[in-house]
Amino acid sequence: MGSPNAGETDPKTDSIDDTRHESGSDTDSNTDCDRDDLPLPLPAPGLSQFEEGEKVLAKHKDCFYEAKVLTVEYQVNKWKYFVHYIGWNKSWDEWKGVECLLKHTEENIEKQKELGVKQGVKSAMAWKVSKMKPRSPNVARGRKRKQDSVDTEKNVVPSDNLLNFHIPPALRKQLIDDCEFVTQLHKLVQLPRSPNVDDIFKKYIDSKTKKHGRVTDSVEEVLKGLRCYFNKALPVMLLYNNERKQYEETVSVDVSPSAVYGAEHLLRLFVKLPELLVHVNMTEETLKELQDNFVDILRFLRKNQSVFFVSTYKAVEEMKKED
């Protein structure tokens, strides 16, 4: 997650001493004033929309994350909620206003997904695309941050220390052929692809369901994270230069890349994942689970290679004639 919003409430300085209101005094008022000069009593607060222990969707920067409400307080005439982002280190816990929270319902999750697979709902498995190392809001920068990360976050390790998966030889050859077609022969994958990335993920879920009877929440979170990464990373680092014009002509604001591109570009993402995840700190257990899921998805791509990948790339002129 990125650094917190500068305007977030500080739980240490922004809480209200309830006893102050009960005694009828206020630090901002004159204690020697006449009774008639005392400020009018504050109106009773309305009912809180969320309660302690409730699972919610909490907005941090541009994305919603699954979170749990730890504390509910009425501060400065409005309800405030101290939330813990599920799967993240507690150093990310922070105060949020009601405007930054949503009920944890299927409807809200789907609504956020529709607003843009570019963002969607994230959890510890659905990682933020970032080249910058996320800084904890409660820890100072510099050498102290490094020391604290060793002393207080021993169970959290940089992902580059553990993330180590191999792309099957057949898929490595696919990557080489893909590169030669685009960069040397100046041919492209015709778009939109069928199956596209969204279709492939759905087929993967179907295959897991057929084999095991159900799909675990962690698998669904991994796929959400991959889709989020794919949509953000594709225009930045998954295209060769001579593919950019095709991207601009095909992908619009209301169309996500995962609905247009297919296995060829998805495979390129797996090459970049270690680089993308190098600055994301997660527990060793989470990273191991992540790595196992990557390997399984690659195995699924390999098993269906003849169906998911195109056998023929086409020159731009050739595609224009067909249109």
Side-chain angles (χ1 to χ4, degrees):
M1 294 186 290
S3 58
N5 298 330
E8 289 300 331
T9 307
D10 185 345
K12 295 180 181 178
T13 60
D14 206 35
S15 60
I16 294 180
D17 186 351
D18 294 331
T19 58
R20 186 181 62 194
H21 294 296
E22 292 173 3
S23 65
S25 63
D26 191 283
T27 53
D28 295 328
S29 61
N30 186 347
T31 56
D32 296 326
C33 63
D34 295 332
R35 186 176 184 81
D36 292 339
D37 294 327
L38 289 174
L40 292 174
L42 292 174
L47 292 176
S48 169
Q49 295 185 31
F50 304 93
E51 58 185 27
E52 292 183 4
E54 182 176 353
K55 190 175 181 181
V56 298
L57 301 178
K59 189 174 184 180
H60 184 92
K61 290 292 187 179
D62 296 329
C63 300
F64 276 91
Y65 295 78
E66 291 182 320
K68 181 179 180 181
V69 177
L70 300 181
T71 306
V72 178
E73 288 187 9
Y74 192 69
Q75 303 177 1
V76 196
N77 300 333
K78 61 182 179 179
W79 288 105
K80 301 288 284 186
Y81 305 90
F82 194 60
V83 301
H84 167 70
Y85 295 100
I86 298 173
W88 293 91
N89 188 275
K90 65 181 180 180
S91 59
W92 289 104
D93 295 358
E94 61 182 339
W95 287 93
K96 286 292 183 184
V98 67
E99 70 279 359
C100 294
L101 301 184
L102 292 174
K103 290 289 184 179
H104 191 281
T105 64
E106 289 300 324
E107 181 182 356
N108 282 335
I109 292 174
E110 287 303 315
K111 183 178 179 182
Q112 290 308 314
K113 197 159 43 168
E114 289 169 9
L115 287 176
V117 219
K118 300 174 181 177
Q119 294 170 1
V121 176
K122 301 184 177 183
S123 75
M125 284 293 190
W127 335 273
K128 179 107 173 169
V129 178
S130 174
K131 291 279 185 141
M132 301 297 292
K133 184 173 182 178
R135 290 195 300 269
S136 165
N138 298 336
V139 183
R141 298 172 62 181
R143 186 174 299 174
K144 183 179 184 299
R145 171 70 182 93
K146 183 176 180 181
Q147 183 63 37
D148 285 348
S149 67
V150 174
D151 294 341
T152 65
E153 299 179 16
K154 291 181 179 179
N155 63 325
V156 178
V157 291
S159 58
D160 56 327
N161 289 348
L162 288 175
L163 195 61
N164 181 26
F165 60 90
H166 297 285
I167 296 176
L171 294 182
R172 287 205 300 270
K173 184 180 185 305
Q174 182 82 42
L175 284 165
I176 294 172
D177 292 343
D178 174 58
C179 178
E180 290 180 352
F181 271 120
V182 177
T183 62
Q184 297 180 24
L185 300 178
H186 304 289
K187 293 188 175 185
L188 308 178
V189 173
Q190 189 165 15
L191 301 177
R193 284 286 290 114
S194 180
N196 56 40
V197 171
D198 290 340
D199 294 332
I200 291 172
F201 287 165
K202 185 179 184 306
K203 290 177 184 292
Y204 178 73
I205 288 177
D206 291 343
S207 71
K208 299 291 285 184
T209 303
K210 184 177 180 180
K211 184 176 181 180
H212 303 290
R214 62 182 294 272
V215 176
T216 63
D217 292 341
S218 63
V219 170
E220 291 184 348
E221 289 299 336
V222 167
L223 294 179
K224 285 180 184 178
L226 283 175
R227 182 182 286 107
C228 181
Y229 258 124
F230 182 83
N231 288 324
K232 288 196 172 214
L234 184 125
V236 178
M237 59 177 63
L238 302 184
L239 296 175
Y240 294 108
N241 287 333
N242 52 340
E243 291 179 305
R244 297 197 175 279
K245 184 177 180 182
Q246 182 190 38
Y247 168 82
E248 293 168 0
E249 293 173 346
T250 309
V251 178
S252 58
V253 177
D254 56 343
V255 177
S256 61
S258 61
V260 175
Y261 289 82
E264 299 78 21
H265 292 78
L266 176 61
L267 186 57
R268 297 181 194 177
L269 174 66
F270 278 91
V271 177
K272 294 289 186 178
L273 279 176
E275 174 186 341
L276 288 170
L277 295 174
V278 70
H279 295 310
V280 179
N281 286 347
M282 294 185 187
T283 64
E284 184 174 352
E285 180 183 355
T286 299
L287 283 170
K288 177 65 168 61
E289 185 177 7
L290 200 58
Q291 181 173 299
D292 291 343
N293 278 284
F294 288 164
V295 170
D296 194 59
I297 294 170
L298 285 169
R299 191 181 298 119
F300 179 71
L301 291 177
R302 170 64 188 92
K303 183 179 179 181
N304 296 278
Q305 188 171 359
S306 61
V307 178
F308 290 166
F309 293 86
V310 294
S311 57
T312 306
Y313 287 59
K314 296 183 178 181
V316 176
E317 299 76 15
E318 187 180 353
M319 287 189 280
K320 286 181 178 179
K321 287 180 181 179
E322 292 180 2
D323 292 340

